[in-house]
Amino acid sequence: MLRLIRYLKGYRVQAVLAPLFKFLETATELIMPLIMANLIDKGIASGDTAYIIRQSVYMGALTFGAFFCVMMCQWLASIASIGMGANIRRVLLNKIGRFSYSQLDKFGTHSLTNRATNDVIQVQTAAAMFLRLLMRLPFLLIGGIVMAVIINARMSLVLAVVVPVFVAVMFLIVGRTAPLYRGAQKSLDQMTLVVRENIQGTRVVRAFNKSSDEDAHFSRVNGAYSGIAVKAGRFAALFSPLTALIMNIAVIAVLWLAGGIHSTYFGMTSGQLMAFINYLTQIITALTVAANLSQNFIKAAASARRINEVLDLPEEGGVACTGGVEAPESPGAPAVEFKNAFFSYGGKNVLTDVSFTLPDGGTLGIIGGTGSGKTTLVNLVPGFYGPNEGVVRVLGKRTDEYDAVTLHDLVGVVPQQALLFSGTIADNLRWGKPGADEEDMRAACKTAQALEFVDKLPHKFDTVLTEGGKNLSGGQKQRLTIARALIKKPRILILDDSASALDAKTDARLRKALKRDLKETGVIIVSQRVNAVMDADKIIVLTEGSVAGAGTHKELLTGCPLYKEICESQNAAGGAL
C-alpha cells in the first residue's frame, strides 16, 4: 500500500494540508470538554450568567472553526485521493498496454479489469480515509488520555483496563477477517469472468437455450463470493456491539467510582465528571474508528498487492519497450526469418523447430488445420510472444533487439477478429496513421476493397461506428481493419485469416490489389482456404506446430500429401473452387 503513495504526485500540497486541517479540528474537539467543565463548575454552579455567555461564545466560535477545518480537510483529501486513483489507473493501463500476449493470458481480461477498476477504487478510498484521519486518530487518542489524566489521574486508571481489552478484541476480529477479504477479491475476479462471458456471448447463450444453465452457473459463483463476504461481515458485525458494550461498562464504572462510596477518594466535580466521560468516549470512539479503518485498509492492502503484481511484472515477449528508436537499415535482409524457433504455452509445445525465410517484398502463405499454430507463429513476428528457443528476425534484426514502438511501426497486423472502436471510420483509420488525410484514407480503403461501401454511406469517412462497429457487416469490418493496417504503410503486413467473411469475388480482388500496391512490403497471409494462399511466392503447411511442407502451390501438390489432401477437400487442386 505504501508503495502506491508515490502516485500522489501532483497532489502533494493537498495531501499535506488535509491532515493539518484535521489536526486543527481535533484540537478544538479536545478543548471543548474542558470549556464545558468550566461552564458547569464555574458558571452554572455559581449562577454567573456573563461567564456562561462568554464560554458559550467560545464554544460557538470553536464549533464554527472546527466545521471550516472539516470541510477543508474533506475537500483537499477528496482531490488528492481521486487524483491518486486517476494516476494509478493511467499507469496501470499503460503497463497493461505493453504486456506481451503471454502476460495478458496469465492474468486474464476479467482480472485485469477488476484490478484497474475495483482495486483502484479500494486504494483510492483508503487513501482518502488515511488523509482525513492521519492526524485525527492518534492525536485524539493520545490527547484524550492526557486530558483524562490531567482531570483526574486516579480515575484514568479505568483506561488502563478498558484500552487493552478493546485492542485485544480489535486484533481478534481483524485477524479473522483479513484472509476472508483476500479470498473475496479472488472470488470477485471469477464472478467478473462469468458476467463478461454471458454479456459478450448472450446471442450464443440464447441460441442454445442455455440461459437457465448460465443462471445456475452465475448463482454458484455469486454464492461463493457472497458466502465469503457474509462470513467476513459476520465477524465485522460483532465489533460494533462489542464496542458499545465495552464503552458502556467503562462509563458505568466511572459513574460508580465517582458517585459511590469511592467518591471522596476520586473527588470529582460535576463538570470534571462530564469532561472525563467525554474524553473516555472520544478515546473509545477513536479506537472504534481505527478498528473500522483497519477493515478498509485490509481490503485496500489486498487490492494494492494485486495492483503491484501488475506494475512489478517485467516486460517481456521478445520486445524491449523502451521508446521509439529507428530500425537500422539492413540492405538485402529478408523481411522475416525464422530459424529453429520453438514456442510453448502452458507447458505444451505449440511451435516446434520452425524455419523459413520471407524475402523483402515477397508473399508468404501459411495454411493448416485448426490448432496447428498458425496464429501463434505470426504473433512472434511483431513480438507479441517471444520464442522459447531459436531466433525470429525482422529485416535482419532479432525481435528482442527492437524497440516495441519501432517494431510495431514496421509490422502491420490484421487479426482474426475484426475489432473496431467507437468513433468515426476516419478515427479508426487514423489509428494506423495519426493525421491521415482523406487522400490517405481513400488509397488504403481502395486497396482493402472498402472504398466501394464507404462512398455509399451518407457521411462517408465521418460515419459514426457503434461499439465494436456493430452497425457494419462482418465483411465490411474486416475490410476496414485491413485498411487501418495498410494506411501506415508497413514493411511487413500480416493478414491472420482476416478475409474469412469476404465473398470469393471480393477476396480475389483484395489479393490482386495487395500484389499490385504492396510491391515493397512483405505479406504474410494466414488462411484455411487454399485459394487465399495459392498465389503466394511460398506456402508453409503447418500441422501440430511443425512444418509439414514448404514451397509453391505446384511444388506442394506433388511433394506434400497433407497440402494435396487440403486442396482436394476444397476442390482446389486445379486452382479454383
Side-chain angles (χ1 to χ4, degrees):
M1 181 72 184
L2 294 176
R3 292 175 53 195
L4 297 179
I5 291 178
R6 65 182 183 272
Y7 295 108
L8 278 169
K9 185 178 180 181
Y11 303 93
R12 289 171 183 166
V13 173
Q14 292 89 337
V16 171
L17 290 179
L20 290 179
F21 275 107
K22 200 65 178 180
F23 173 80
L24 294 174
E25 184 264 335
T26 306
T28 62
E29 195 171 339
L30 287 171
I31 293 171
M32 202 71 76
L34 281 181
I35 297 175
M36 178 63 73
N38 289 331
L39 188 148
I40 293 172
D41 292 339
K42 296 180 182 180
I44 295 176
S46 61
D48 189 342
T49 305
Y51 185 84
I52 294 173
I53 294 173
R54 192 163 57 252
Q55 294 297 100
S56 298
V57 170
Y58 290 157
M59 292 177 68
L62 286 173
T63 300
F64 179 80
F67 173 76
F68 174 77
C69 290
V70 167
M71 293 299 294
M72 288 298 297
C73 175
Q74 294 285 98
W75 180 57
L76 293 168
S78 296
I79 292 173
S81 60
I82 292 171
M84 177 186 180
N87 287 339
I88 294 174
R89 278 190 291 271
R90 187 188 70 253
V91 173
L92 200 58
L93 189 61
N94 193 318
K95 179 78 173 185
I96 293 170
R98 299 199 307 273
F99 272 0
S100 67
Y101 276 25
S102 58
Q103 289 172 322
L104 290 171
D105 295 340
K106 173 183 177 182
F107 287 102
T109 304
H110 59 289
S111 180
L112 290 173
T113 301
N114 255 343
R115 293 170 198 245
T117 52
N118 181 63
D119 286 332
V120 173
I121 290 172
Q122 291 280 10
V123 171
Q124 178 180 306
T125 302
M129 298 177 72
F130 179 77
L131 292 175
R132 291 199 297 265
L133 301 170
L134 171 64
M135 300 294 289
R136 175 179 171 79
L137 290 183
F139 188 62
L140 192 62
L141 180 61
I142 297 172
I145 293 173
V146 171
M147 297 302 288
V149 172
I150 290 173
I151 289 175
N152 194 300
R154 293 175 178 176
M155 185 65 76
S156 63
L157 293 174
V158 172
L159 299 174
V161 177
V162 172
V163 172
V165 171
F166 191 96
V167 171
V169 171
M170 181 179 71
F171 275 103
L172 177 65
I173 293 176
V174 169
R176 296 299 298 271
T177 55
L180 293 174
Y181 285 131
R182 287 193 290 269
Q185 291 295 94
K186 294 180 180 179
S187 185
L188 184 61
D189 278 351
Q190 187 63 29
M191 186 168 67
T192 304
L193 172 62
V194 175
V195 171
R196 180 172 174 269
E197 286 180 341
N198 273 269
I199 292 174
Q200 288 185 334
T202 182
R203 291 177 177 84
V204 177
V205 172
R206 292 178 184 177
F208 284 88
N209 293 320
K210 287 293 184 180
S211 297
S212 299
D213 293 341
E214 287 303 305
D215 286 345
H217 183 199
F218 177 76
S219 296
R220 289 193 297 272
V221 176
N222 189 33
Y225 171 72
S226 60
I228 297 173
V230 167
K231 189 174 181 180
R234 285 173 181 165
F235 284 110
L238 290 173
F239 195 75
S240 292
L242 287 175
T243 298
L245 178 63
I246 293 171
M247 184 165 63
N248 288 330
I249 290 174
V251 171
I252 291 171
V254 170
L255 292 173
W256 178 67
L257 292 172
I261 58 174
H262 306 289
S263 59
T264 305
Y265 177 76
F266 289 101
M268 298 180 73
T269 65
S270 298
Q272 289 175 333
L273 179 60
M274 179 174 287
F276 189 90
I277 291 175
N278 275 334
Y279 286 124
L280 176 63
T281 303
Q282 287 178 0
I283 292 166
I284 295 179
T285 300
L287 289 171
T288 303
V289 173
N292 290 328
L293 275 177
S294 66
Q295 305 288 336
N296 291 305
F297 284 139
I298 287 169
K299 296 178 186 177
S303 294
R305 190 178 301 111
R306 286 157 52 85
I307 292 170
N308 284 321
E309 283 178 2
V310 176
L311 297 178
D312 291 344
L313 205 64
E315 292 171 358
E316 59 174 36
V319 183
C321 303
T322 55
V325 180
E326 291 295 329
E329 291 293 333
S330 299
V336 177
E337 181 185 6
F338 275 58
K339 188 174 182 180
N340 306 117
F342 289 76
F343 181 78
S344 61
Y345 180 77
K348 178 183 177 182
N349 280 340
V350 181
L351 295 175
T352 304
D353 197 20
V354 176
S355 298
F356 67 86
T357 300
L358 170 63
D360 197 10
T363 303
L364 174 70
I366 301 176
I367 193 169
T370 302
S372 58
K374 302 186 299 295
T375 296
T376 302
L377 188 150
V378 294
N379 280 335
L380 265 61
V381 177
F384 294 153
Y385 294 107
N388 300 119
E389 296 181 37
V391 176
V392 177
R393 291 189 177 93
V394 171
L395 297 172
K397 187 176 179 180
R398 290 203 322 266
T399 55
D400 59 358
E401 295 175 335
Y402 270 104
D403 164 77
V405 175
T406 304
L407 182 56
H408 295 161
D409 279 342
L410 291 172
V411 182
V413 180
V414 185
Q416 291 176 332
Q417 182 180 4
L419 178 61
L420 296 172
F421 297 87
S422 56
T424 65
I425 290 176
D427 292 334
N428 277 270
L429 293 177
R430 289 189 179 114
W431 275 60
K433 183 181 180 181
D437 56 24
E438 186 172 342
E439 185 179 346
D440 294 325
M441 290 187 278
R442 291 186 70 83
C445 286
K446 183 179 179 181
T447 302
Q449 308 304 302
L451 190 59
E452 57 182 275
F453 79 82
V454 171
D455 277 342
K456 292 178 182 178
L457 297 172
H459 302 290
K460 296 182 170 52
F461 290 105
D462 291 326
T463 300
V464 176
L465 303 180
T466 57
E467 180 187 358
K470 291 179 180 177
N471 53 336
L472 298 178
S473 69
Q476 289 173 334
K477 288 193 290 185
Q478 283 193 333
R479 282 178 277 176
L480 283 179
T481 57
I482 293 171
R484 183 174 59 194
L486 289 173
I487 200 170
K488 73 176 186 177
K489 297 181 179 179
R491 296 288 300 277
I492 299 161
L493 176 67
I494 298 173
L495 303 175
D496 185 7
D497 206 11
S498 50
S500 57
L502 303 185
D503 59 84
K505 185 178 178 180
T506 305
D507 187 20
R509 290 205 312 266
L510 171 64
R511 286 184 278 114
K512 185 178 179 180
L514 291 174
K515 206 168 189 67
R516 180 191 68 226
D517 299 337
L518 303 182
K519 296 185 183 301
E520 297 181 359
T521 300
V523 179
I524 300 177
I525 301 174
V526 177
S527 181
Q528 297 189 49
R529 298 191 302 190
V530 174
N531 274 6
V533 299
M534 62 188 302
D535 295 327
D537 301 324
K538 186 177 184 178
I539 302 170
I540 291 177
V541 184
L542 283 182
T543 177
E544 296 183 354
S546 298
V547 177
T552 64
H553 173 66
K554 289 183 178 180
E555 291 170 346
L556 290 171
L557 277 176
T558 57
C560 181
L562 177 59
Y563 184 76
K564 184 178 180 181
E565 180 183 335
I566 294 173
C567 289
E568 290 174 349
S569 68
Q570 298 179 19
N571 193 27
L577 287 172

